[in-house]
């Protein structure tokens, strides 16, 4: 097997590690590119290509995360991970665990950890690496890695998000929600929302912002009805799609460009959280981003002109 073939065989795993550490598709892809350059030029073959490349990607991701955390502290408004439509790493026996570790709620919880804690948690708890491999990857002793793992697991357990256990029930609920949303059915939407439902948007200062978090079923349902009317008026359509392993959707304009991505957290038969990613910098891997400001101006012009005929 050539070096290229070995790398491509491990690419899904390497991307999955990098994305969970970084919460960014673009930064994870860059980390893989850097790892490939190091792999291509290393003079000797390691005993385990998987262990070597996983360690390289982890170290690169830790360095990137350290600098990214400074940028995220200066970020305009709420920061969400870049939405991921498909996780290339597949393990049918652990599909549910992998899906939960990929959720936006879990990735946001990981943001509370230090870069080293995050890397150790991802390698150990998500992908089952042994502590000797983890120690090599993060450049710490096994004892130190065990301590990092204990701290990380404690923090994650304290705030670990819960989701609807039955995948089919979760998807069925999301389907009813999106049908009611498309129809502008305020009552139909409201009855699917939890009593403490939150709707939050990430525009990063580059797209129209939500007025803070929108809280409560009545207010969220009204806002969603307004969104449905506005988006429909300018030709924006919703494609239901799994996002970060959870029910969600992608909005596209009449030219197929990406307007935003939504992710739903579902628990106890109700939608608990709706997260909307509008920052065009986080949508480019799903297709060309739409000009949301232009869509907003078009929608406002239509509203001012009133109904015709």
């Amino acid at each position: 097997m050539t070096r290229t073939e070995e790398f491509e065989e491990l690419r899904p795993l390497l991307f999955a590690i990098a994305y969970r550490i970084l919460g960014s598709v673009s930064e994870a892809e860059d980390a893989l590119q850097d790892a490939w350059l190091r792999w291509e030029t290393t003079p000797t073959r390691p005993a385990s290509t998987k262990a070597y490349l996983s360690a390289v990607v982890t170290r690169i991701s830790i360095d990137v995360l350290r600098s990214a955390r400074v940028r995220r502290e200066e970020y305009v408004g709420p920061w969400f991970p870049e939405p991921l439509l498909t996780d290339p790493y597949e393990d049918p026996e652990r599909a549910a665990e992998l899906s939960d570790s990929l959720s936006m709620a879990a990735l946001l919880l990981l943001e509370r950890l230090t870069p080293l804690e995050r890397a150790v948690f991802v390698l150990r708890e998500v992908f089952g690496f042994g502590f000797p491999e983890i120690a090599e990857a993060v450049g710490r002793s096994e004892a130190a890695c065990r301590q990092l793992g204990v701290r990380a697991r404690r923090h994650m357990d304290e705030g670990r998000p819960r989701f609807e256990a039955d995948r089919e029930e979760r998807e069925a609920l999301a389907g009813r929600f999106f049908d009611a949303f498309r129809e502008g059915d305020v009552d139909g939407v409201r009855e699917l929302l939890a009593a403490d439902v939150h709707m939050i948007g990430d525009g990063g200062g580059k797209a129209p912002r939500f007025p803070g978090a929108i809280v409560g079923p009545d207010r969220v349902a009204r806002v969603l009805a307004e969104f449905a009317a506005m988006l429909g008026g300018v030709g924006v359509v919703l494609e239901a799609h799994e996002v970060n392993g959870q029910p969600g959707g992608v909005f596209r304009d009449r030219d197929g460009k990406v307007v935003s991505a939504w992710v739903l957290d579902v628990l106890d038969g109700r939608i608990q959280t709706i997260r909307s990613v509008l920052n065009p910098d986080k949508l480019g891997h799903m297709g060309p981003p739409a000009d949301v400001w232009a869509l907003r101006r078009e929608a406002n012009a239509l509203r001012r002109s009133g109904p015709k005929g």
Side-chain angles (χ1 to χ4, degrees), residues 99-100 103 163 170 241-248 263-265:
S99 177
D100 284 353
S103 73
F163 301 107
R170 188 175 63 190
H241 202 297
E242 186 173 87
V243 181
N244 284 77
Q246 305 299 318
V263 186
L264 311 179
D265 289 350

Side-chain angles (χ1 to χ4, degrees), residues 8 33 77 131 175 246 257 293 307-308:
E8 290 304 318
Q33 181 63 28
F131 280 109
Q246 305 299 318
K257 294 181 179 180
W293 292 107
K308 297 180 181 180

Side-chain angles (χ1 to χ4, degrees), residues 15-245:
F15 177 85
I17 291 171
Y19 177 77
R20 285 167 172 81
I21 294 175
L22 294 167
S24 166
V25 174
S26 55
E27 289 175 349
E29 291 288 2
D30 288 345
L32 261 65
Q33 181 63 28
D34 288 349
W36 161 251
L37 293 174
R38 297 187 192 186
W39 170 238
E40 188 181 32
T41 56
T42 188
T44 59
R45 291 288 185 102
S48 168
T49 302
K50 175 184 174 182
Y52 173 83
L53 285 173
S54 298
V56 170
V57 163
T58 298
R59 287 195 291 270
I60 292 170
S61 298
I62 289 172
D63 289 341
V64 172
L65 183 60
R66 283 173 173 150
S67 61
R69 287 168 75 92
V70 176
R71 297 195 303 274
R72 291 173 192 178
E73 289 173 359
E74 301 170 350
Y75 195 79
V76 178
W79 179 92
F80 293 157
E82 290 183 11
L84 185 65
L85 299 185
T86 304
D87 184 2
Y89 183 70
E90 296 181 357
D91 184 343
E93 294 184 1
R94 299 182 57 246
E97 297 171 59
L98 290 168
S99 177
D100 284 353
S101 72
L102 191 66
S103 73
M104 282 206 175
L107 292 174
L108 287 169
L109 197 56
L110 281 168
E111 283 289 305
R112 303 179 188 178
L113 307 182
T114 68
L116 281 177
E117 288 172 343
R118 186 163 180 163
V120 170
F121 182 87
V122 167
L123 292 176
R124 179 64 179 174
E125 301 297 329
V126 179
F127 296 103
F129 280 71
F131 280 109
E133 295 172 297
I134 296 172
E136 174 67 23
V138 304
R140 296 291 189 275
S141 68
E142 288 186 41
C145 288
R146 290 180 187 278
Q147 291 179 337
L148 288 165
V150 168
R151 288 204 301 269
R153 189 165 54 249
R154 183 173 64 248
H155 288 310
M156 292 297 288
D157 286 343
E158 288 172 355
R160 184 178 297 277
R162 295 190 299 135
F163 301 107
E164 196 75 56
D166 190 297
R167 187 186 188 93
E168 291 185 3
E169 290 182 10
R170 188 175 63 190
E171 291 177 352
L173 174 67
R176 294 197 302 274
F177 169 78
F178 285 132
D179 286 343
F181 168 77
R182 291 187 186 98
E183 295 166 5
D185 181 356
V186 176
D187 293 335
V189 166
R190 185 189 297 112
E191 70 179 15
L192 300 174
L193 303 177
D196 58 348
V197 63
H198 282 59
M199 184 172 178
I200 315 167
D202 171 357
K206 299 185 178 184
R209 290 183 60 182
F210 285 12
I214 302 166
V215 182
D218 291 334
R219 189 174 178 213
V220 169
R222 287 196 303 272
V223 169
L224 288 174
E226 293 171 2
F227 279 178
M230 178 187 71
L231 295 174
V234 295
V236 173
V237 296
L238 166 63
E239 301 173 354
H241 202 297
E242 186 173 87
V243 181
N244 284 77

